[in-house]
Each structure stands twice: as structure tokens, then as C-alpha cells.
Amino acid sequence: MQQAFIKQSEPLVSMAGSSSKMTIYPSYFLQGMPGTAEDLFLRKGVADKLLAIAAQLPEGRKLVLIDGWRSLETQRFIYTQTVAQFRKAGHSEEKIKKEMPGFVAYPSTDPAKPAPHQTGAAIDLTLADEKGWLEMGTDFDDFTEVAYLDYYEGKTELSPKERQARDNRRRLKQLMEDAGFTHNPSEWWHYSYGDRSWAQAHHETQLYGGIVPER
Ligand SMILES: C[C@@H](N)C(=O)N[C@H](C)C(=O)O
Ligand SMILES: [Zn+2]
């Protein structure tokens, strides 16, 4: 029997031009991936939370939204491409199996067990100021341990650039967690509100299921 997600009827809304303190950088569209659009969509409730975070940012600071709702086609493409990259880099099949769930979720055709971005409740994002994206220590989608959210925590010998990255990751985490989002320990850029990992972290019921309009 299909699980009833209590906010499943909530619409996806466009984030393009939604706030002067928020920009979109639809990375997968810009990389020419299949199933992408030159816009970024999120569940209305998730979008409202991000708009509230953006509104409280200091002058000159912005949120940069990199990816939100993701089609099955795009999730499949990223998954397949990343497995191929890991194999090319010489990673063992055991290492790939262990690391993939943290870096790229398995593409699901079951709306009751969706990959996080298929729900429209997961967001990849960063912070920017007048000079550009803030230092975070790695690029977006750098699938190495340096991207782990806590990578710089507990390290005593940090360069000035690494200290900046640690502090900026902390800033983003604080903003997101204060608004009720949950983080992905493997990726400093990935947060969610209302999907399965959020439900597990908050001892709540998952609010949103997948939106899988494709074959
Ligand atoms: C692919 C990356 N940007 C991402 O979103 N990873 C998480 C784990 C996902 O695919 O849900
Ligand atoms: Zn993500």
C-alpha cells in the first residue's frame, strides 16, 4: 500500500527571481544534463523556509541555490556518471558501494521511496557575497572526503583558507538547521526538509514523497 505523505499535494514552485537575496545557479542544466531546466523548483513549504533564511542575511550576503527538485532522468544520469568516474579513478567496487549513498542517492521509480531530490524537499546550496561564492573548501559535487561537512572540524593545523571554509560551512549549517533543515554529513552543500533523512533525524514522519512524472 502506498504511504500517505501528509504534504504530498503541496506544489513545486519556481525559485528563479524569488528574492533579491537569493540567486539560482542550476548547475546540472548548465552542464547540459538530461531532464534539467533553466530554473529551480522546490516544494512551496521548503521554498518559504529558504526565503525566510535569505531575508535575515546581512547586507551583501546571498543564498545561491544550485539544485532542488530533480527528475528521475537527471538522478539516473548523475548516478551513472559518478559510478563511472569512481571506477575510472580506480575505486574498488566495495568502496563505491559504501560511498555512493552519501554522494549520490540511488534513482528511484517508487514515489514511496524516492531519492531526496525527487521529493522537491532537498536543496543543494551555498552562500555568496559581492565578490562571489564564499570559500567552502571544495567545489560543488566534489565527491571526496574533503566535502564532508565536518571535514575541518577538530583539525588543529588549518591554513587561513581552510579556516574560512570551516567557518563558512558552519555559517550555512547554522542558518539551515535553525530553520529546521537537516544536513547530509557527506556533502557540505546538501540539506533537506521533509524527506526521509529529515524524518529520521527529527523522529518525524516523512512529509513529502517523490514526484516521478516519467516512465
Ligand atoms: C549529487 C549531489 N549533488 C547530491 O544531491 N547528493 C545527494 C546524496 C543526492 O543525490 O540526494
Ligand atoms: Zn543534494
Side-chain angles (χ1 to χ4, degrees):
M1 195 176 82
Q2 183 135 332
Q3 189 178 341
F5 300 107
I6 57 175
K7 293 196 170 194
Q8 184 61 4
S9 60
E10 202 177 277
L12 287 174
V13 294
S14 161
M15 300 306 289
S18 56
S19 162
S20 60
K21 303 189 97 174
M22 195 186 271
T23 56
I24 66 162
Y25 181 88
S27 176
Y28 300 126
F29 170 80
L30 296 168
Q31 293 176 55
M33 285 193 194
T36 55
E38 195 179 10
D39 198 344
L40 192 147
F41 299 92
L42 287 170
R43 295 286 191 161
K44 171 93 171 58
V46 179
D48 287 346
K49 284 187 173 293
L50 286 172
L51 288 166
I53 295 172
Q56 69 178 38
L57 290 175
E59 192 60 34
R61 198 59 67 85
K62 284 184 185 187
L63 292 182
V64 182
L65 310 189
I66 304 171
D67 195 39
W69 176 76
R70 197 179 288 161
S71 67
L72 173 60
E73 196 181 4
T74 308
Q75 189 71 34
R76 274 191 184 131
F77 187 90
I78 301 167
Y79 191 90
T80 308
Q81 176 178 270
T82 306
V83 170
Q85 280 166 356
F86 280 178
R87 287 192 178 131
K88 200 169 167 205
H91 293 354
S92 68
E93 291 304 312
E94 197 188 346
K95 184 174 159 78
I96 293 173
K97 198 171 161 201
K98 187 162 162 256
E99 292 195 342
M100 277 304 283
F103 288 135
V104 187
Y106 191 74
S108 171
T109 50
D110 180 354
K113 292 179 187 156
H117 283 273
Q118 291 179 260
T119 65
I123 175 76
D124 293 339
L125 82 171
T126 191
L127 288 165
D129 63 15
E130 299 92 342
K131 290 185 246 142
W133 292 19
L134 299 196
E135 177 62 53
M136 290 289 181
T138 73
D139 287 339
F140 169 63
D141 277 2
D142 176 324
F143 300 132
T144 67
E145 66 170 9
V146 189
Y148 290 0
L149 180 61
D150 287 346
Y151 179 77
Y152 298 112
E153 300 297 337
K155 287 202 185 345
T156 45
E157 304 272 308
L158 291 180
S159 68
K161 197 173 156 191
E162 287 172 328
R163 204 167 308 121
Q164 260 186 330
R166 180 199 63 191
D167 293 348
N168 288 332
R169 287 181 189 194
R170 284 182 184 171
R171 271 188 194 102
L172 182 59
K173 183 180 180 204
Q174 183 86 52
L175 286 166
M176 298 301 284
E177 294 196 339
D178 284 356
F181 285 79
T182 197
H183 66 267
N184 173 357
S186 301
E187 299 177 331
W188 58 257
W189 56 82
H190 179 110
Y191 288 85
S192 62
Y193 181 90
D195 68 353
R196 194 173 349 160
S197 60
W198 173 88
Q200 281 162 359
H202 290 259
H203 306 288
E204 290 269 3
T205 308
Q206 189 174 334
L207 306 178
Y208 304 104
I211 302 171
V212 188
E214 298 145 275
R215 54 261 162 210

